[in-house]
Amino acid sequence: MAHIKLPEFEDMSPEIQEKARPILEKTGQLGEIFKLIALDEKIYFATDMMVQKYLLEKTTLSYDIKEAIALLISKENGCKMCVDVHKSIAKMLGLSEEKIEQILQGVESINTTEGEKALLNFCIKASKKDNYKIEKKEIDALKEFGYNDVQILEAVAITGYFNYINTLSNVFALGE
């Protein structure tokens, strides 16, 4: 049970209801994270924009990589709720149970290219408190695998997004 009272759909502002209605109609429920951020319109709309731009729209990174980042960072941060949600999303996007389990076992267990493993390991390192220790040579190594500046930036932005969402979920005990 969440540490604070989460609003139900009917208690949300009309502007948030308008944005949340398609989720509610499609899935039959609003997840606790949507309810939590609905407490503040600014947080809700800023977070919704990140979801739309980073995760739902087609970007320079594949949906497979974005979901792998979501799963790895959420697991790293101990966010069971986000791991469970993104396991379901990964399945909807066509990732096999086997691939999802490989991801959850860690980067070295994933049957993928060395370049993708390097990017995923970089994201895990970027998610840590000592990410300020990342050096230019680590970014240059990703470029040697063919990643460009925009792809690296996007991967780090997604990593930061999951640190943010995992923090909200963990602090307020969502999904427990």
Side-chain angles (χ1 to χ4, degrees), residues 104-130:
L104 292 173
Q105 289 173 19
V107 174
E108 295 313 313
S109 298
I110 304 170
N111 184 15
T112 191
T113 67
E114 289 305 309
E116 284 189 4
K117 286 181 180 183
L119 182 67
L120 295 171
N121 277 319
F122 180 82
C123 289
I124 290 170
K125 187 171 183 179
S127 75
K128 304 290 185 193
K129 294 281 185 227
D130 65 350

